Amino acid sequence: MRGTLIYIGQRLVLIAITTVLVSSIVFVLLHQIPGNAFLNETRQSPQTLAAELHHYGLDLPLQQQYLNWVQGVLRGDLGESLVNRGVKITPLLIRETTVSATVGFFALLVTVGLGLILGVIAALRQNTWVDYAASSTAVVGYSIPSFVIAIFGLLIFGHYLYIWTQGTFFYQPGWGKIEQIPVPALALGLPYASYVARLTRASMLETIRTDYVRTAWAKGLKARVVVMRHALRNALIPVVTILGPLVTGIITGSVVIENIFGIPGLGKEFITSILARDYNIVIGVFTFYAALVGLANLAVDVIYPVLDPRIRY
Amino acid sequence: MPGGTLNAVDGISFDVDRGEIVGIVGESGSGKTMTALSLLRLIPEPGKITSGKILYGEQDVVQMSDEEIREFRGNEVAMIFQDPMTSLNPVLRVGFQVEEAMAAHNRFTRQQARDRVIPMLQRVRIPAAKDRVRDYPHQFSGGMRQRAMIAMGVSNEPSLLIADEPTTALDVTVQASIIELLRDISRELRAAVILITHNMALVASLCNRVIVMYAGRIVEEGPTRAIFKNPQHPYTWSLLRSMPRVDETTRERLISIKGLPPDLGKMPPGCKFHPRCKFRVDRCLTEEPPLAEVDPGQDARCWVLMKNVQNPEAIAQT
């Protein structure tokens, strides 16, 4: 237990370092993109532009700007939006992160839930039509990128469903209602669910042939107990291993999905802020993403020893 | 062999009485393990029992429903497997795995099962059993794991215990103590034991009766004493002859039986042992001998029989 806490502490320090590195790299690169937040189609006098830049400290040398930013971060203040005057970034990003996390959580639910169920069923019915159906669905699901699934999702649930039900029941892009969660969560989670299904199937096939599962049968345990307690529990271990990269994939995938479905989350902000050259927000979004990926992976690693007693930190 | 059938075990027939210890010996691939697994209907896919009967008292194991066979396994007949390293579930506590074996059947309630775990572990002589119940298998040594397997096997006081090479994966020093434990505990329970092994010394010290298998068939069967003293099948004779002996220090090489057991897909006609047999006659090549009584209680599947061979040692060395 003590070891685990020390381990978590070490990892948190590493995540902090990673986040700092990511933000500084982004900071440097971001300023290499031509243009800035105050250039627009309307003619501006050079004086106004200079005044704007000066107001936000953008006329200072880059190192100085970075140091100023870091000072702000240490106070928990990521600065102000350059485009929308007076909008504080920290609360904005926290709000957007909860939106993204909600979609991500349900996507993960789809991924793990659907993946495990399909994988286990395919393994238990190996080489029957059930297995072939589940396995080929998985291959198809894995081969189609989530933005394609998203567009078909829009078409089917937003358009056709509207026509079939004559406008009484359909999906409306956007955010704020519970019924707006399933379609994006499915689009985001399905490709990964296929991946989990294939891995679970392979892993289950391996464990149901192990000696200890044979022992479980020989003890006279009920089939359900043998499968769930003895086979699945062990088969889950490799599945949990890929959960880290998977969560990362879901987080990055949300950039595309949120833009397609118009969800006001971190992913949508990611694109809009870059296009608007809203420096402070871009860096903030990247910082949040870096921390999120780090924390998600940490969470997975903490689950590991719960599942496999041979692993101790 | 797509679509084909291979008989790993063919026409096996034997009885085991209460309190008896029967040894099944033979080379790897001779069908010993398949015979044992079939007694509990645990043959791995895609194998199956195509015909025959397995009688436990009046009940036929082959005809049992899924629920009947489940209640039968581990309760009436328990099995101890070859490799204790892989036979215990790595993610469950040892104590729980023993408890689960008892709770699976009607014999004990969940609470009784829980209370019996530590006494069971003590009974199989696991030191500091009270502290070790909460250990995971990887915290146990090989010998202790096999003890835990035995605890699991005997926890429901079965009347038949099948031990499939219970000591093969263990250190020699540990082997003896495991065998001793197996013998003592089967005596206490008045349970019959089927011991599957290729260790002839083990058979000699432990078993009342021996069944020798070759290529999925019983080639010789009888009381241990008779088999060791007067083996009648050339295979049994050669197996015994290949046992290393402590008192003969001068012999430079271990004796082996030349050749390999036949491939299941390419069984020779006639006696299955004839390609490796030094004593074969023409009839062996074409006609498979039946398992026939050679002495009271002793049967052998051979046209020749060793008692009819003059000076077998000289022939064997050619």
Side-chain angles (χ1 to χ4, degrees), chain A residues 182-233:
Chain A
V183 178
L186 268 173
L188 189 51
L190 269 183
Y192 299 107
S194 311
Y195 190 64
V196 170
R198 292 196 327 162
L199 191 71
T200 306
R201 176 179 180 271
S203 180
M204 265 307 266
L205 284 178
E206 206 177 302
T207 47
I208 54 179
R209 284 173 176 71
T210 55
D211 287 351
Y212 54 82
V213 167
R214 188 178 58 181
T215 306
W217 287 117
K219 280 198 247 184
L221 298 178
K222 294 196 165 67
R224 187 174 45 82
V225 178
V226 175
V227 171
M228 301 300 282
R229 193 187 286 162
H230 289 269
L232 183 60
R233 176 92 197 270

XYZ file of all heavy atoms in Angstrom, chain A residues 182-233:
408
model
N -25.336 9.554 -26.475
C -25.035 8.232 -27.060
C -24.391 8.256 -28.448
O -23.438 7.513 -28.672
C -26.400 7.542 -27.122
C -27.247 8.263 -26.162
C -26.759 9.660 -26.099
N -24.887 9.094 -29.353
C -24.359 9.034 -30.721
C -22.870 9.384 -30.791
O -22.076 8.599 -31.317
C -25.214 9.882 -31.694
C -24.636 9.846 -33.095
C -26.650 9.384 -31.693
N -22.438 10.532 -30.226
C -20.982 10.781 -30.240
C -20.184 9.749 -29.449
O -19.071 9.383 -29.864
C -20.853 12.179 -29.617
C -22.162 12.532 -29.062
C -23.195 11.697 -29.728
N -20.738 9.278 -28.342
C -19.998 8.279 -27.547
C -19.789 7.011 -28.364
O -18.702 6.416 -28.346
C -20.750 7.969 -26.260
N -20.820 6.616 -29.110
C -20.690 5.430 -29.968
C -19.647 5.652 -31.045
O -18.779 4.812 -31.274
C -22.035 5.113 -30.624
C -22.943 4.129 -29.896
C -24.288 4.055 -30.595
C -22.294 2.748 -29.866
N -19.734 6.801 -31.708
C -18.803 7.090 -32.805
C -17.367 7.089 -32.310
O -16.455 6.587 -32.968
C -19.141 8.438 -33.435
N -17.177 7.619 -31.119
C -15.832 7.703 -30.561
C -15.350 6.351 -30.050
O -14.181 5.992 -30.183
C -15.848 8.732 -29.413
C -14.528 9.156 -28.789
C -13.540 9.589 -29.853
C -14.771 10.296 -27.802
N -16.271 5.570 -29.492
C -15.871 4.322 -28.836
C -15.807 3.102 -29.741
O -15.051 2.172 -29.479
N -16.609 3.085 -30.816
C -16.717 1.866 -31.632
C -15.405 1.306 -32.179
O -15.151 0.110 -32.047
C -17.711 2.087 -32.770
C -19.166 1.708 -32.448
C -20.042 1.888 -33.672
C -19.262 0.274 -31.944
N -14.553 2.137 -32.812
C -13.325 1.549 -33.347
C -12.496 0.878 -32.258
O -11.923 -0.197 -32.469
C -12.576 2.755 -33.912
C -13.609 3.784 -34.133
C -14.652 3.567 -33.093
N -12.467 1.510 -31.088
C -11.679 0.934 -30.003
C -12.366 -0.298 -29.425
O -11.711 -1.228 -28.967
C -11.429 1.991 -28.931
C -10.666 3.168 -29.454
C -11.284 4.391 -29.677
C -9.321 3.034 -29.786
C -10.577 5.457 -30.192
C -8.611 4.094 -30.309
C -9.243 5.309 -30.510
O -8.546 6.350 -31.033
N -13.700 -0.284 -29.441
C -14.440 -1.458 -28.956
C -14.056 -2.679 -29.781
O -13.860 -3.776 -29.255
C -15.940 -1.207 -29.040
N -13.901 -2.484 -31.089
C -13.503 -3.587 -31.961
C -12.134 -4.113 -31.565
O -11.894 -5.316 -31.550
C -13.454 -3.118 -33.414
O -14.624 -2.436 -33.724
N -11.278 -3.168 -31.249
C -9.927 -3.543 -30.854
C -9.952 -4.368 -29.566
O -9.323 -5.425 -29.474
C -9.102 -2.264 -30.680
C -7.640 -2.517 -30.503
C -6.900 -3.097 -31.537
C -6.996 -2.188 -29.315
C -5.552 -3.332 -31.381
C -5.650 -2.423 -29.154
C -4.932 -2.992 -30.185
O -3.593 -3.237 -30.030
N -10.722 -3.875 -28.598
C -10.848 -4.584 -27.326
C -11.465 -5.976 -27.548
O -11.038 -6.962 -26.963
C -11.693 -3.772 -26.315
C -12.032 -4.602 -25.089
C -10.953 -2.514 -25.905
N -12.457 -6.038 -28.440
C -13.124 -7.315 -28.705
C -12.128 -8.335 -29.247
O -12.103 -9.491 -28.816
C -14.269 -7.111 -29.691
N -11.307 -7.898 -30.196
C -10.343 -8.841 -30.784
C -9.331 -9.309 -29.751
O -8.975 -10.479 -29.679
C -9.623 -8.181 -31.963
C -10.563 -7.944 -33.125
C -9.846 -7.659 -34.413
N -8.602 -6.937 -34.226
C -7.649 -6.880 -35.136
N -7.801 -7.510 -36.279
N -6.555 -6.202 -34.915
N -8.879 -8.365 -28.937
C -7.900 -8.720 -27.914
C -8.510 -9.647 -26.861
O -7.901 -10.627 -26.437
C -7.378 -7.440 -27.255
C -6.170 -7.643 -26.368
C -4.953 -7.960 -27.214
C -5.910 -6.421 -25.522
N -9.744 -9.322 -26.449
C -10.412 -10.137 -25.439
C -10.619 -11.557 -25.948
O -10.414 -12.529 -25.228
C -11.779 -9.532 -25.070
O -11.585 -8.181 -24.696
C -12.425 -10.293 -23.923
N -11.029 -11.655 -27.221
C -11.263 -12.980 -27.790
C -9.981 -13.812 -27.720
O -9.988 -14.941 -27.235
C -11.737 -12.853 -29.235
C -11.898 -14.197 -29.924
C -12.384 -14.034 -31.356
N -12.520 -15.324 -31.983
C -11.541 -15.944 -32.636
N -10.354 -15.375 -32.733
N -11.732 -17.132 -33.169
N -8.877 -13.214 -28.197
C -7.609 -13.952 -28.219
C -7.183 -14.337 -26.801
O -6.753 -15.461 -26.538
C -6.534 -13.095 -28.881
N -7.340 -13.392 -25.898
C -6.913 -13.608 -24.531
C -7.778 -14.674 -23.843
O -7.269 -15.533 -23.106
C -7.009 -12.272 -23.798
O -6.614 -12.382 -22.484
N -9.086 -14.627 -24.111
C -9.996 -15.625 -23.535
C -9.678 -17.016 -24.067
O -9.665 -17.993 -23.329
C -11.446 -15.298 -23.917
C -12.224 -14.507 -22.898
S -12.242 -15.186 -21.257
C -13.743 -16.129 -21.269
N -9.423 -17.093 -25.382
C -9.120 -18.391 -25.983
C -7.900 -19.008 -25.317
O -7.809 -20.223 -25.155
C -8.875 -18.242 -27.485
C -10.136 -18.042 -28.319
C -9.776 -17.859 -29.780
C -11.079 -19.219 -28.148
N -6.976 -18.128 -24.933
C -5.776 -18.620 -24.298
C -6.091 -19.104 -22.878
O -5.679 -20.197 -22.488
C -4.755 -17.484 -24.252
C -3.333 -17.955 -24.213
C -2.402 -16.769 -24.249
O -2.480 -15.977 -25.212
O -1.627 -16.623 -23.295
N -6.827 -18.301 -22.127
C -7.054 -18.679 -20.728
C -7.990 -19.880 -20.579
O -7.803 -20.668 -19.658
C -7.613 -17.517 -19.874
O -8.672 -16.904 -20.571
C -6.547 -16.517 -19.547
N -8.973 -20.033 -21.490
C -9.872 -21.166 -21.265
C -9.171 -22.503 -21.518
O -9.710 -23.550 -21.191
C -11.193 -21.100 -22.081
C -10.932 -20.934 -23.558
C -12.106 -20.028 -21.568
C -12.210 -20.895 -24.393
N -7.968 -22.444 -22.084
C -7.221 -23.682 -22.276
C -6.135 -23.880 -21.223
O -5.348 -24.814 -21.315
C -6.573 -23.675 -23.659
C -7.562 -23.949 -24.763
C -6.935 -23.774 -26.136
N -7.873 -24.120 -27.182
C -8.926 -23.397 -27.506
N -9.179 -22.279 -26.872
N -9.747 -23.782 -28.476
N -6.075 -23.003 -20.248
C -4.998 -23.137 -19.260
C -5.307 -24.256 -18.271
O -6.443 -24.699 -18.134
C -4.823 -21.842 -18.447
O -6.076 -21.515 -17.866
C -4.346 -20.710 -19.320
N -4.247 -24.669 -17.579
C -4.386 -25.729 -16.583
C -5.318 -25.312 -15.450
O -6.085 -26.115 -14.941
C -3.012 -26.086 -16.003
C -2.169 -26.852 -16.999
O -2.721 -27.240 -18.051
O -0.974 -27.052 -16.745
N -5.224 -24.038 -15.035
C -6.042 -23.669 -13.868
C -7.521 -23.620 -14.203
O -8.360 -23.838 -13.328
C -5.564 -22.370 -13.210
C -5.441 -21.173 -14.112
C -6.548 -20.414 -14.432
C -4.212 -20.808 -14.628
C -6.424 -19.307 -15.251
C -4.079 -19.711 -15.454
C -5.193 -18.960 -15.768
O -5.081 -17.885 -16.585
N -7.852 -23.356 -15.468
C -9.267 -23.415 -15.845
C -9.726 -24.879 -15.875
O -10.831 -25.205 -15.443
C -9.521 -22.697 -17.187
C -10.896 -23.017 -17.727
C -9.374 -21.198 -17.004
N -8.846 -25.767 -16.315
C -9.171 -27.188 -16.245
C -9.377 -27.610 -14.793
O -10.310 -28.354 -14.473
C -8.043 -28.004 -16.885
C -8.401 -29.481 -17.029
C -7.309 -30.252 -17.711
N -6.052 -30.135 -16.964
C -4.910 -30.686 -17.337
N -4.849 -31.364 -18.453
N -3.833 -30.542 -16.619
N -8.501 -27.105 -13.906
C -8.674 -27.395 -12.476
C -10.048 -26.923 -12.008
O -10.734 -27.632 -11.270
C -7.589 -26.667 -11.649
O -6.316 -27.001 -12.162
C -7.669 -27.054 -10.195
N -10.430 -25.725 -12.452
C -11.726 -25.179 -12.035
C -12.870 -26.091 -12.478
O -13.793 -26.360 -11.715
C -11.896 -23.774 -12.605
N -12.795 -26.598 -13.708
C -13.811 -27.552 -14.171
C -13.772 -28.816 -13.313
O -14.805 -29.345 -12.912
C -13.588 -27.951 -15.628
C -13.923 -26.925 -16.641
C -13.060 -26.331 -17.517
C -15.214 -26.370 -16.939
N -13.721 -25.436 -18.309
C -15.042 -25.450 -17.986
C -16.494 -26.549 -16.395
C -16.100 -24.713 -18.517
C -17.543 -25.823 -16.929
C -17.346 -24.915 -17.979
N -12.557 -29.291 -13.035
C -12.415 -30.551 -12.297
C -12.949 -30.434 -10.876
O -13.303 -31.427 -10.257
C -10.946 -30.979 -12.269
N -12.982 -29.204 -10.347
C -13.526 -28.996 -9.007
C -15.040 -29.115 -8.989
O -15.637 -29.180 -7.927
C -13.170 -27.582 -8.526
C -11.785 -27.424 -8.003
C -11.705 -26.160 -7.167
C -10.833 -25.126 -7.812
N -10.662 -23.937 -6.972
N -15.632 -29.054 -10.177
C -17.093 -29.127 -10.233
C -17.753 -27.768 -10.087
O -18.893 -27.679 -9.654
N -17.042 -26.706 -10.451
C -17.652 -25.375 -10.391
C -18.664 -25.213 -11.513
O -18.567 -25.869 -12.548
C -16.573 -24.300 -10.511
C -15.515 -24.275 -9.415
C -14.498 -23.181 -9.702
C -16.152 -24.041 -8.065
N -19.617 -24.310 -11.298
C -20.602 -24.038 -12.339
C -19.924 -23.326 -13.514
O -18.963 -22.576 -13.324
C -21.713 -23.145 -11.785
C -22.543 -23.842 -10.722
C -23.846 -23.079 -10.482
C -24.847 -23.924 -9.727
N -24.423 -24.206 -8.334
N -20.444 -23.574 -14.719
C -19.826 -23.025 -15.928
C -19.656 -21.507 -15.817
O -18.621 -20.959 -16.190
C -20.667 -23.370 -17.149
N -20.677 -20.849 -15.285
C -20.624 -19.390 -15.174
C -19.440 -18.966 -14.282
O -18.727 -18.016 -14.594
C -21.938 -18.895 -14.565
C -22.123 -17.405 -14.527
C -23.536 -17.083 -14.029
N -23.883 -17.890 -12.864
C -23.508 -17.585 -11.598
N -22.800 -16.508 -11.363
N -23.860 -18.361 -10.589
N -19.236 -19.697 -13.201
C -18.144 -19.368 -12.278
C -16.794 -19.617 -12.948
O -15.874 -18.811 -12.835
C -18.263 -20.206 -10.982
C -17.101 -19.910 -10.042
C -19.589 -19.926 -10.296
N -16.691 -20.725 -13.674
C -15.427 -21.034 -14.352
C -15.086 -19.928 -15.339
O -13.968 -19.418 -15.368
C -15.506 -22.392 -15.082
C -14.236 -22.642 -15.881
C -15.728 -23.523 -14.090
N -16.084 -19.523 -16.121
C -15.827 -18.514 -17.158
C -15.541 -17.153 -16.541
O -14.542 -16.504 -16.862
C -17.014 -18.421 -18.140
C -16.854 -17.233 -19.064
C -17.120 -19.707 -18.941
N -16.386 -16.706 -15.631
C -16.243 -15.349 -15.115
C -15.079 -15.229 -14.134
O -14.246 -14.349 -14.253
C -17.530 -14.900 -14.402
C -18.763 -14.908 -15.286
S -18.625 -13.837 -16.717
C -18.936 -12.257 -15.946
N -15.041 -16.126 -13.166
C -14.066 -15.961 -12.095
C -12.687 -16.448 -12.498
O -11.684 -15.842 -12.172
C -14.550 -16.727 -10.860
C -13.795 -16.383 -9.592
C -14.215 -17.308 -8.475
N -15.536 -16.987 -7.956
C -16.265 -17.848 -7.228
N -15.799 -19.051 -6.956
N -17.451 -17.497 -6.771
N -12.635 -17.548 -13.233
C -11.322 -18.119 -13.524
C -10.768 -17.682 -14.881
O -9.629 -17.274 -14.969
C -11.373 -19.640 -13.404
C -11.498 -20.093 -11.987
N -10.416 -20.378 -11.196
C -12.577 -20.271 -11.199
C -10.819 -20.729 -9.977
N -12.135 -20.670 -9.952
N -11.587 -17.778 -15.919
C -11.057 -17.452 -17.251
C -11.025 -15.946 -17.489
O -9.970 -15.375 -17.753
C -11.881 -18.153 -18.326
N -12.178 -15.285 -17.340
C -12.248 -13.863 -17.709
C -11.316 -13.007 -16.859
O -10.640 -12.120 -17.365
C -13.701 -13.366 -17.594
C -13.925 -11.921 -18.026
C -13.535 -11.742 -19.482
C -15.371 -11.504 -17.834
N -11.302 -13.285 -15.565
C -10.471 -12.491 -14.661
C -9.012 -12.461 -15.151
O -8.371 -11.416 -15.172
C -10.567 -13.119 -13.275
C -9.723 -12.513 -12.206
C -10.449 -11.445 -11.435
N -9.480 -10.644 -10.720
C -9.062 -10.905 -9.478
N -9.617 -11.879 -8.804
N -8.138 -10.167 -8.919
